[in-house]
Amino acid sequence: MKKIVLIAIALISISVSAQHEKTHRKEHKKEMVEKMKDWTPEQKAEVATKKMTLALDLNEAQQKQVYAIHLETAKDRLKMKDNKEKNANEALSPDELFELKKARMEKKIETKAQFKVILTAEQYKKWEKKSHRKKEARSKKKLKSNR
């Protein structure tokens, strides 16, 4: 009986400490996201390029080309964010929403084609796999938050 009580206490304490660690990680991530909101497009592009360099072992020429793509993407996102804030009170019509989504998808296709040219076949495969995993994680996160 004592063993069962001790095991139960141990399991409870482990789960409590794991839960605390999870909440602490979430809070830290929120803080980091808040700090990163104030970054310039150049800073965002540089960090994204460095991450990609570490993951795919890019050479100097590839880094410069990838940086240019990331910089363009960061500037586009900033413009979209500014437009969204300006038009926050106005609802988009179905046609405007369609055009917006269509433009985003075209931009993604263009970016993907640019990366395909810059990266080697092996690097591209690795990049696609990683970006696919990120998409899955985001969709799972959205599903959890919608519940």
Side-chain angles (χ1 to χ4, degrees):
M1 186 69 170
K2 286 183 181 181
K3 289 181 182 180
I4 293 174
V5 171
L6 287 174
I7 291 172
I9 290 172
L11 288 175
I12 290 171
S13 65
I14 289 172
S15 77
V16 168
S17 68
Q19 189 68 27
H20 175 71
E21 178 66 29
K22 189 176 181 181
T23 354
H24 179 70
R25 235 183 287 140
K26 279 185 180 181
E27 289 171 4
H28 178 70
K29 190 172 183 176
K30 282 182 184 179
E31 288 175 17
M32 290 300 294
V33 168
E34 280 299 315
K35 289 177 184 177
M36 290 175 6
K37 282 183 180 180
D38 297 331
W39 286 3
T40 65
E42 290 79 12
Q43 289 172 319
K44 291 177 182 181
E46 189 172 336
V47 169
T49 303
K50 296 286 184 194
K51 281 183 180 180
M52 207 165 166
T53 300
L54 289 171
L56 303 176
D57 196 29
L58 302 178
N59 62 36
E60 274 301 311
Q62 287 175 318
Q63 286 179 39
K64 288 178 183 174
Q65 292 172 314
V66 166
Y67 175 80
I69 293 170
H70 284 299
L71 182 59
E72 183 182 339
T73 303
K75 286 180 178 179
D76 288 346
R77 284 187 177 154
L78 186 62
K79 284 181 193 172
M80 286 180 10
K81 181 184 171 196
D82 290 342
N83 287 340
K84 188 176 180 180
E85 288 173 358
K86 286 179 187 175
N87 303 326
N89 297 332
E90 300 173 21
L92 292 176
S93 72
D95 289 337
E96 290 172 327
L97 187 59
F98 171 76
E99 289 301 321
L100 186 65
K101 290 216 180 255
K102 182 179 165 189
R104 275 192 211 141
M105 295 310 290
E106 287 173 354
K107 184 67 181 161
K108 283 183 181 182
I109 292 168
E110 179 187 330
T111 302
K112 193 173 181 178
Q114 288 174 324
F115 278 132
K116 196 168 195 169
V117 170
I118 295 169
L119 302 174
T120 64
E122 184 181 323
Q123 288 172 327
Y124 183 77
K125 192 183 255 185
K126 206 172 179 182
W127 173 74
E128 255 196 334
K129 197 176 203 179
K130 189 172 184 167
S131 62
H132 182 68
R133 274 188 262 147
K134 280 184 178 180
K135 286 178 192 173
E136 284 180 348
R138 277 194 302 261
S139 64
K140 284 181 182 178
K141 190 175 180 181
K142 281 184 181 179
L143 285 175
K144 279 185 176 180
S145 66
N146 289 338
R147 289 183 186 174

